[in-house]
PDB file of all heavy atoms in Angstrom:
ATOM      1  N   PHE G1161       5.840 -11.997 -10.281  1.00  0.00           N
ATOM      2  CA  PHE G1161       4.943 -10.915 -10.825  1.00  0.00           C
ATOM      3  C   PHE G1161       4.864  -9.676  -9.971  1.00  0.00           C
ATOM      4  O   PHE G1161       4.978  -8.533 -10.440  1.00  0.00           O
ATOM      5  CB  PHE G1161       3.511 -11.430 -11.102  1.00  0.00           C
ATOM      6  CG  PHE G1161       2.656 -10.405 -11.790  1.00  0.00           C
ATOM      7  CD1 PHE G1161       2.703 -10.015 -13.038  1.00  0.00           C
ATOM      8  CD2 PHE G1161       1.693  -9.651 -10.974  1.00  0.00           C
ATOM      9  CE1 PHE G1161       1.935  -9.078 -13.584  1.00  0.00           C
ATOM     10  CE2 PHE G1161       0.799  -8.756 -11.585  1.00  0.00           C
ATOM     11  CZ  PHE G1161       1.048  -8.416 -12.940  1.00  0.00           C
ATOM     12  N   TRP G1162       4.624  -9.835  -8.668  1.00  0.00           N
ATOM     13  CA  TRP G1162       4.530  -8.785  -7.637  1.00  0.00           C
ATOM     14  C   TRP G1162       5.814  -8.617  -6.899  1.00  0.00           C
ATOM     15  O   TRP G1162       6.606  -9.557  -6.704  1.00  0.00           O
ATOM     16  CB  TRP G1162       3.513  -9.115  -6.622  1.00  0.00           C
ATOM     17  CG  TRP G1162       2.069  -9.263  -7.164  1.00  0.00           C
ATOM     18  CD1 TRP G1162       1.419 -10.409  -7.105  1.00  0.00           C
ATOM     19  CD2 TRP G1162       1.109  -8.274  -7.648  1.00  0.00           C
ATOM     20  NE1 TRP G1162       0.105 -10.266  -7.559  1.00  0.00           N
ATOM     21  CE2 TRP G1162       0.014  -8.894  -8.049  1.00  0.00           C
ATOM     22  CE3 TRP G1162       1.313  -6.867  -7.846  1.00  0.00           C
ATOM     23  CZ2 TRP G1162      -1.148  -8.265  -8.466  1.00  0.00           C
ATOM     24  CZ3 TRP G1162       0.178  -6.211  -8.308  1.00  0.00           C
ATOM     25  CH2 TRP G1162      -0.965  -6.889  -8.701  1.00  0.00           C
ATOM     26  N   GLN G1163       6.040  -7.466  -6.464  1.00  0.00           N
ATOM     27  CA  GLN G1163       7.195  -7.246  -5.576  1.00  0.00           C
ATOM     28  C   GLN G1163       6.957  -7.866  -4.285  1.00  0.00           C
ATOM     29  O   GLN G1163       5.767  -7.984  -3.853  1.00  0.00           O
ATOM     30  CB  GLN G1163       7.348  -5.736  -5.363  1.00  0.00           C
ATOM     31  CG  GLN G1163       8.174  -4.941  -6.278  1.00  0.00           C
ATOM     32  CD  GLN G1163       9.664  -5.215  -6.152  1.00  0.00           C
ATOM     33  OE1 GLN G1163      10.170  -5.733  -5.193  1.00  0.00           O
ATOM     34  NE2 GLN G1163      10.396  -4.841  -7.298  1.00  0.00           N
ATOM     35  N   ASP G1164       8.023  -8.288  -3.535  1.00  0.00           N
ATOM     36  CA  ASP G1164       7.823  -9.043  -2.196  1.00  0.00           C
ATOM     37  C   ASP G1164       7.156  -8.179  -1.201  1.00  0.00           C
ATOM     38  O   ASP G1164       6.363  -8.706  -0.452  1.00  0.00           O
ATOM     39  CB  ASP G1164       9.083  -9.652  -1.775  1.00  0.00           C
ATOM     40  CG  ASP G1164       9.667 -10.863  -2.714  1.00  0.00           C
ATOM     41  OD1 ASP G1164       8.903 -11.376  -3.339  1.00  0.00           O
ATOM     42  OD2 ASP G1164      10.902 -10.992  -2.618  1.00  0.00           O
ATOM     43  N   GLU G1165       7.554  -6.955  -1.094  1.00  0.00           N
ATOM     44  CA  GLU G1165       7.132  -6.029  -0.004  1.00  0.00           C
ATOM     45  C   GLU G1165       5.696  -5.490  -0.432  1.00  0.00           C
ATOM     46  O   GLU G1165       5.453  -5.125  -1.540  1.00  0.00           O
ATOM     47  CB  GLU G1165       8.191  -4.847   0.061  1.00  0.00           C
ATOM     48  CG  GLU G1165       7.837  -3.962   1.153  1.00  0.00           C
ATOM     49  CD  GLU G1165       8.158  -4.429   2.508  1.00  0.00           C
ATOM     50  OE1 GLU G1165       9.460  -4.543   2.746  1.00  0.00           O
ATOM     51  OE2 GLU G1165       7.227  -4.797   3.256  1.00  0.00           O
ATOM     52  N   SER G1166       4.987  -5.463   0.659  1.00  0.00           N
ATOM     53  CA  SER G1166       3.614  -4.665   0.682  1.00  0.00           C
ATOM     54  C   SER G1166       3.734  -3.605   1.731  1.00  0.00           C
ATOM     55  O   SER G1166       4.347  -3.831   2.767  1.00  0.00           O
ATOM     56  CB  SER G1166       2.502  -5.601   0.908  1.00  0.00           C
ATOM     57  OG  SER G1166       2.389  -6.672  -0.055  1.00  0.00           O
ATOM     58  N   PHE G1167       3.039  -2.490   1.529  1.00  0.00           N
ATOM     59  CA  PHE G1167       3.049  -1.380   2.494  1.00  0.00           C
ATOM     60  C   PHE G1167       1.661  -1.275   3.128  1.00  0.00           C
ATOM     61  O   PHE G1167       0.708  -1.219   2.370  1.00  0.00           O
ATOM     62  CB  PHE G1167       3.551  -0.105   1.738  1.00  0.00           C
ATOM     63  CG  PHE G1167       4.857  -0.234   1.202  1.00  0.00           C
ATOM     64  CD1 PHE G1167       5.039  -0.787  -0.058  1.00  0.00           C
ATOM     65  CD2 PHE G1167       6.094   0.138   1.931  1.00  0.00           C
ATOM     66  CE1 PHE G1167       6.304  -0.808  -0.558  1.00  0.00           C
ATOM     67  CE2 PHE G1167       7.224   0.097   1.478  1.00  0.00           C
ATOM     68  CZ  PHE G1167       7.436  -0.443   0.166  1.00  0.00           C
ATOM     69  N   ASP G1168       1.681  -1.401   4.473  1.00  0.00           N
ATOM     70  CA  ASP G1168       0.334  -1.118   5.070  1.00  0.00           C
ATOM     71  C   ASP G1168       0.384  -0.050   6.147  1.00  0.00           C
ATOM     72  O   ASP G1168       1.434   0.099   6.777  1.00  0.00           O
ATOM     73  CB  ASP G1168      -0.001  -2.547   5.708  1.00  0.00           C
ATOM     74  CG  ASP G1168       0.880  -3.016   6.783  1.00  0.00           C
ATOM     75  OD1 ASP G1168       1.806  -3.705   6.458  1.00  0.00           O
ATOM     76  OD2 ASP G1168       0.660  -2.765   8.007  1.00  0.00           O
ATOM     77  N   HIS G1169      -0.740   0.572   6.345  1.00  0.00           N
ATOM     78  CA  HIS G1169      -0.869   1.678   7.311  1.00  0.00           C
ATOM     79  C   HIS G1169      -2.129   1.354   8.081  1.00  0.00           C
ATOM     80  O   HIS G1169      -3.245   1.184   7.657  1.00  0.00           O
ATOM     81  CB  HIS G1169      -1.047   3.038   6.620  1.00  0.00           C
ATOM     82  CG  HIS G1169       0.134   3.370   5.889  1.00  0.00           C
ATOM     83  ND1 HIS G1169       1.257   4.186   6.269  1.00  0.00           N
ATOM     84  CD2 HIS G1169       0.408   3.141   4.549  1.00  0.00           C
ATOM     85  CE1 HIS G1169       2.104   4.304   5.325  1.00  0.00           C
ATOM     86  NE2 HIS G1169       1.609   3.731   4.172  1.00  0.00           N
ATOM     87  N   LEU G1170      -2.025   1.375   9.436  1.00  0.00           N
ATOM     88  CA  LEU G1170      -3.171   1.217  10.236  1.00  0.00           C
ATOM     89  C   LEU G1170      -4.025   2.594  10.188  1.00  0.00           C
ATOM     90  O   LEU G1170      -3.600   3.699  10.331  1.00  0.00           O
ATOM     91  CB  LEU G1170      -2.783   1.027  11.691  1.00  0.00           C
ATOM     92  CG  LEU G1170      -3.807   0.874  12.733  1.00  0.00           C
ATOM     93  CD1 LEU G1170      -4.576  -0.421  12.598  1.00  0.00           C
ATOM     94  CD2 LEU G1170      -3.181   0.837  14.199  1.00  0.00           C
ATOM     95  N   VAL G1171      -5.393   2.350   9.917  1.00  0.00           N
ATOM     96  CA  VAL G1171      -6.231   3.517   9.850  1.00  0.00           C
ATOM     97  C   VAL G1171      -6.604   3.935  11.280  1.00  0.00           C
ATOM     98  O   VAL G1171      -7.280   3.152  11.848  1.00  0.00           O
ATOM     99  CB  VAL G1171      -7.360   3.248   8.995  1.00  0.00           C
ATOM    100  CG1 VAL G1171      -8.340   4.451   8.810  1.00  0.00           C
ATOM    101  CG2 VAL G1171      -6.974   2.745   7.564  1.00  0.00           C
ATOM    102  N   ARG G1172      -6.248   5.138  11.600  1.00  0.00           N
ATOM    103  CA  ARG G1172      -6.454   5.515  13.060  1.00  0.00           C
ATOM    104  C   ARG G1172      -7.798   6.083  13.479  1.00  0.00           C
ATOM    105  O   ARG G1172      -8.121   5.943  14.581  1.00  0.00           O
ATOM    106  CB  ARG G1172      -5.337   6.510  13.512  1.00  0.00           C
ATOM    107  CG  ARG G1172      -3.904   5.973  13.408  1.00  0.00           C
ATOM    108  CD  ARG G1172      -2.933   6.809  13.915  1.00  0.00           C
ATOM    109  NE  ARG G1172      -1.564   6.198  13.909  1.00  0.00           N
ATOM    110  CZ  ARG G1172      -1.140   5.521  15.032  1.00  0.00           C
ATOM    111  NH1 ARG G1172      -1.979   5.363  16.139  1.00  0.00           N
ATOM    112  NH2 ARG G1172       0.037   4.915  15.046  1.00  0.00           N
ATOM    113  N   ASN G1173      -8.420   6.711  12.401  1.00  0.00           N
ATOM    114  CA  ASN G1173      -9.819   7.305  12.788  1.00  0.00           C
ATOM    115  C   ASN G1173     -10.600   7.411  11.474  1.00  0.00           C
ATOM    116  O   ASN G1173     -10.031   7.240  10.422  1.00  0.00           O
ATOM    117  CB  ASN G1173      -9.647   8.561  13.499  1.00  0.00           C
ATOM    118  CG  ASN G1173      -8.659   9.632  12.802  1.00  0.00           C
ATOM    119  OD1 ASN G1173      -8.819   9.822  11.571  1.00  0.00           O
ATOM    120  ND2 ASN G1173      -7.632   9.950  13.538  1.00  0.00           N
ATOM    121  N   GLU G1174     -11.764   7.952  11.638  1.00  0.00           N
ATOM    122  CA  GLU G1174     -12.665   8.121  10.484  1.00  0.00           C
ATOM    123  C   GLU G1174     -12.238   9.166   9.468  1.00  0.00           C
ATOM    124  O   GLU G1174     -12.469   8.971   8.376  1.00  0.00           O
ATOM    125  CB  GLU G1174     -14.163   8.385  11.009  1.00  0.00           C
ATOM    126  CG  GLU G1174     -15.178   8.265   9.926  1.00  0.00           C
ATOM    127  CD  GLU G1174     -16.609   8.242  10.541  1.00  0.00           C
ATOM    128  OE1 GLU G1174     -16.769   8.004  11.685  1.00  0.00           O
ATOM    129  OE2 GLU G1174     -17.554   8.381   9.704  1.00  0.00           O
ATOM    130  N   VAL G1175     -11.506  10.174  10.065  1.00  0.00           N
ATOM    131  CA  VAL G1175     -11.034  11.318   9.216  1.00  0.00           C
ATOM    132  C   VAL G1175      -9.974  10.663   8.310  1.00  0.00           C
ATOM    133  O   VAL G1175      -9.970  10.877   7.093  1.00  0.00           O
ATOM    134  CB  VAL G1175     -10.468  12.455  10.033  1.00  0.00           C
ATOM    135  CG1 VAL G1175      -9.761  13.360   9.128  1.00  0.00           C
ATOM    136  CG2 VAL G1175     -11.596  13.123  10.733  1.00  0.00           C
ATOM    137  N   SER G1176      -9.036   9.899   8.893  1.00  0.00           N
ATOM    138  CA  SER G1176      -8.014   9.287   8.143  1.00  0.00           C
ATOM    139  C   SER G1176      -8.624   8.268   7.062  1.00  0.00           C
ATOM    140  O   SER G1176      -8.137   8.238   5.895  1.00  0.00           O
ATOM    141  CB  SER G1176      -7.091   8.414   9.003  1.00  0.00           C
ATOM    142  OG  SER G1176      -6.028   7.901   8.255  1.00  0.00           O
ATOM    143  N   PHE G1177      -9.661   7.627   7.520  1.00  0.00           N
ATOM    144  CA  PHE G1177     -10.258   6.682   6.560  1.00  0.00           C
ATOM    145  C   PHE G1177     -10.851   7.447   5.347  1.00  0.00           C
ATOM    146  O   PHE G1177     -10.741   7.032   4.244  1.00  0.00           O
ATOM    147  CB  PHE G1177     -11.423   6.062   7.348  1.00  0.00           C
ATOM    148  CG  PHE G1177     -12.203   4.904   6.512  1.00  0.00           C
ATOM    149  CD1 PHE G1177     -11.571   3.697   6.390  1.00  0.00           C
ATOM    150  CD2 PHE G1177     -13.508   5.150   6.091  1.00  0.00           C
ATOM    151  CE1 PHE G1177     -12.248   2.750   5.775  1.00  0.00           C
ATOM    152  CE2 PHE G1177     -14.189   4.173   5.442  1.00  0.00           C
ATOM    153  CZ  PHE G1177     -13.623   2.910   5.263  1.00  0.00           C
ATOM    154  N   GLY G1178     -11.465   8.677   5.569  1.00  0.00           N
ATOM    155  CA  GLY G1178     -12.009   9.350   4.494  1.00  0.00           C
ATOM    156  C   GLY G1178     -10.814   9.877   3.549  1.00  0.00           C
ATOM    157  O   GLY G1178     -11.072   9.867   2.365  1.00  0.00           O
ATOM    158  N   MET G1179      -9.746  10.192   4.167  1.00  0.00           N
ATOM    159  CA  MET G1179      -8.643  10.648   3.282  1.00  0.00           C
ATOM    160  C   MET G1179      -8.076   9.473   2.417  1.00  0.00           C
ATOM    161  O   MET G1179      -7.807   9.673   1.325  1.00  0.00           O
ATOM    162  CB  MET G1179      -7.533  11.214   4.284  1.00  0.00           C
ATOM    163  CG  MET G1179      -7.777  12.511   4.920  1.00  0.00           C
ATOM    164  SD  MET G1179      -6.514  12.950   6.167  1.00  0.00           S
ATOM    165  CE  MET G1179      -5.186  13.149   5.007  1.00  0.00           C
ATOM    166  N   PHE G1180      -7.978   8.431   3.097  1.00  0.00           N
ATOM    167  CA  PHE G1180      -7.621   7.200   2.207  1.00  0.00           C
ATOM    168  C   PHE G1180      -8.629   6.954   1.045  1.00  0.00           C
ATOM    169  O   PHE G1180      -8.185   6.532  -0.006  1.00  0.00           O
ATOM    170  CB  PHE G1180      -7.374   5.952   3.065  1.00  0.00           C
ATOM    171  CG  PHE G1180      -6.056   5.961   3.918  1.00  0.00           C
ATOM    172  CD1 PHE G1180      -6.119   5.791   5.227  1.00  0.00           C
ATOM    173  CD2 PHE G1180      -4.773   6.138   3.208  1.00  0.00           C
ATOM    174  CE1 PHE G1180      -4.833   5.888   5.988  1.00  0.00           C
ATOM    175  CE2 PHE G1180      -3.596   6.178   3.920  1.00  0.00           C
ATOM    176  CZ  PHE G1180      -3.712   5.940   5.248  1.00  0.00           C
ATOM    177  N   ARG G1181      -9.902   7.084   1.391  1.00  0.00           N
ATOM    178  CA  ARG G1181     -10.907   6.792   0.270  1.00  0.00           C
ATOM    179  C   ARG G1181     -10.681   7.843  -0.872  1.00  0.00           C
ATOM    180  O   ARG G1181     -10.826   7.413  -2.005  1.00  0.00           O
ATOM    181  CB  ARG G1181     -12.283   6.926   0.970  1.00  0.00           C
ATOM    182  CG  ARG G1181     -12.647   5.848   1.990  1.00  0.00           C
ATOM    183  CD  ARG G1181     -14.121   5.891   2.305  1.00  0.00           C
ATOM    184  NE  ARG G1181     -14.870   5.104   1.256  1.00  0.00           N
ATOM    185  CZ  ARG G1181     -16.243   4.982   1.094  1.00  0.00           C
ATOM    186  NH1 ARG G1181     -16.991   5.674   2.170  1.00  0.00           N
ATOM    187  NH2 ARG G1181     -16.812   4.432   0.290  1.00  0.00           N
ATOM    188  N   ARG G1182     -10.456   8.993  -0.523  1.00  0.00           N
ATOM    189  CA  ARG G1182     -10.223  10.006  -1.532  1.00  0.00           C
ATOM    190  C   ARG G1182      -9.020   9.732  -2.268  1.00  0.00           C
ATOM    191  O   ARG G1182      -8.944   9.930  -3.515  1.00  0.00           O
ATOM    192  CB  ARG G1182     -10.246  11.425  -0.807  1.00  0.00           C
ATOM    193  CG  ARG G1182     -11.574  11.907  -0.361  1.00  0.00           C
ATOM    194  CD  ARG G1182     -11.650  13.309  -0.054  1.00  0.00           C
ATOM    195  NE  ARG G1182     -10.646  13.635   1.114  1.00  0.00           N
ATOM    196  CZ  ARG G1182     -11.101  13.559   2.350  1.00  0.00           C
ATOM    197  NH1 ARG G1182     -12.294  13.216   2.655  1.00  0.00           N
ATOM    198  NH2 ARG G1182     -10.301  13.861   3.359  1.00  0.00           N
ATOM    199  N   TYR G1183      -7.878   9.285  -1.592  1.00  0.00           N
ATOM    200  CA  TYR G1183      -6.675   9.027  -2.291  1.00  0.00           C
ATOM    201  C   TYR G1183      -6.908   7.878  -3.250  1.00  0.00           C
ATOM    202  O   TYR G1183      -6.436   7.916  -4.449  1.00  0.00           O
ATOM    203  CB  TYR G1183      -5.649   8.679  -1.368  1.00  0.00           C
ATOM    204  CG  TYR G1183      -4.346   8.280  -1.840  1.00  0.00           C
ATOM    205  CD1 TYR G1183      -3.331   9.245  -2.020  1.00  0.00           C
ATOM    206  CD2 TYR G1183      -4.145   6.992  -2.360  1.00  0.00           C
ATOM    207  CE1 TYR G1183      -2.097   8.884  -2.667  1.00  0.00           C
ATOM    208  CE2 TYR G1183      -2.788   6.621  -2.857  1.00  0.00           C
ATOM    209  CZ  TYR G1183      -1.859   7.599  -3.095  1.00  0.00           C
ATOM    210  OH  TYR G1183      -0.629   7.304  -3.665  1.00  0.00           O
ATOM    211  N   ILE G1184      -7.706   6.857  -2.974  1.00  0.00           N
ATOM    212  CA  ILE G1184      -7.940   5.747  -3.800  1.00  0.00           C
ATOM    213  C   ILE G1184      -8.796   6.250  -5.001  1.00  0.00           C
ATOM    214  O   ILE G1184      -8.424   5.895  -6.175  1.00  0.00           O
ATOM    215  CB  ILE G1184      -8.644   4.596  -3.057  1.00  0.00           C
ATOM    216  CG1 ILE G1184      -7.690   3.907  -2.092  1.00  0.00           C
ATOM    217  CG2 ILE G1184      -9.244   3.609  -4.023  1.00  0.00           C
ATOM    218  CD1 ILE G1184      -8.395   2.976  -1.098  1.00  0.00           C
ATOM    219  N   ALA G1185      -9.793   6.958  -4.787  1.00  0.00           N
ATOM    220  CA  ALA G1185     -10.672   7.419  -5.870  1.00  0.00           C
ATOM    221  C   ALA G1185      -9.873   8.367  -6.854  1.00  0.00           C
ATOM    222  O   ALA G1185     -10.176   8.264  -7.991  1.00  0.00           O
ATOM    223  CB  ALA G1185     -11.808   8.201  -5.304  1.00  0.00           C
ATOM    224  N   ASP G1186      -8.928   9.153  -6.302  1.00  0.00           N
ATOM    225  CA  ASP G1186      -8.222  10.195  -7.164  1.00  0.00           C
ATOM    226  C   ASP G1186      -7.051   9.522  -7.872  1.00  0.00           C
ATOM    227  O   ASP G1186      -6.517  10.210  -8.730  1.00  0.00           O
ATOM    228  CB  ASP G1186      -7.813  11.354  -6.252  1.00  0.00           C
ATOM    229  CG  ASP G1186      -8.957  12.240  -5.791  1.00  0.00           C
ATOM    230  OD1 ASP G1186     -10.061  12.067  -6.352  1.00  0.00           O
ATOM    231  OD2 ASP G1186      -8.752  13.020  -4.892  1.00  0.00           O
TER     232      ASP G1186
END
Side-chain angles (χ1 to χ4, degrees):
F1161 180 77
W1162 300 109
Q1163 279 284 344
D1164 292 336
E1165 183 75 71
S1166 300
F1167 298 89
D1168 61 272
H1169 301 269
L1170 181 67
V1171 181
R1172 293 183 174 274
N1173 51 52
E1174 194 165 345
V1175 172
S1176 181
F1177 185 75
M1179 291 175 61
F1180 283 127
R1181 294 191 80 183
R1182 289 191 294 274
Y1183 180 89
I1184 290 171
D1186 292 343

